Amino acid sequence: MKFTDVMTTKEAAAIWGRSQVSIKQLCTGLQGRPPRLIVDVECRKSGGTWLVTKAGMTRLYGEPEE
């Protein structure tokens, strides 16, 4: 995995045109549902910041539009 394949929820939100909150909820789950990203594989918390992988985001939303 390349260093550029990991990003913050804010960066992922900008790339995929989603809100930062919705990207965070992919990692934490929503209203008792399990997370949609695989924790410790496609996302993890570093300090107070959630990090996500490009592979995880692409699996859920497809390739980002340029």
Side-chain angles (χ1 to χ4, degrees):
M1 180 180 300
K2 295 183 230 171
F3 188 71
T4 56
D5 290 341
V6 177
M7 63 200 85
T8 65
T9 56
K10 184 175 183 177
E11 292 170 317
I15 292 170
W16 273 272
R18 309 280 176 170
S19 74
Q20 185 176 356
V21 171
S22 68
I23 303 300
K24 180 183 171 195
Q25 289 170 344
L26 295 174
C27 303
T28 62
L30 176 64
Q31 299 176 349
R33 287 181 249 165
R36 292 184 63 204
L37 289 173
I38 302 167
V39 178
D40 292 331
V41 175
E42 297 175 327
C43 68
R44 73 181 284 269
K45 195 167 190 179
S46 178
T49 304
W50 279 97
L51 302 172
V52 298
T53 63
K54 181 179 180 183
M57 292 299 296
T58 301
R59 179 176 64 82
L60 292 178
Y61 295 119
E63 288 293 329
E65 294 180 14
E66 295 298 320

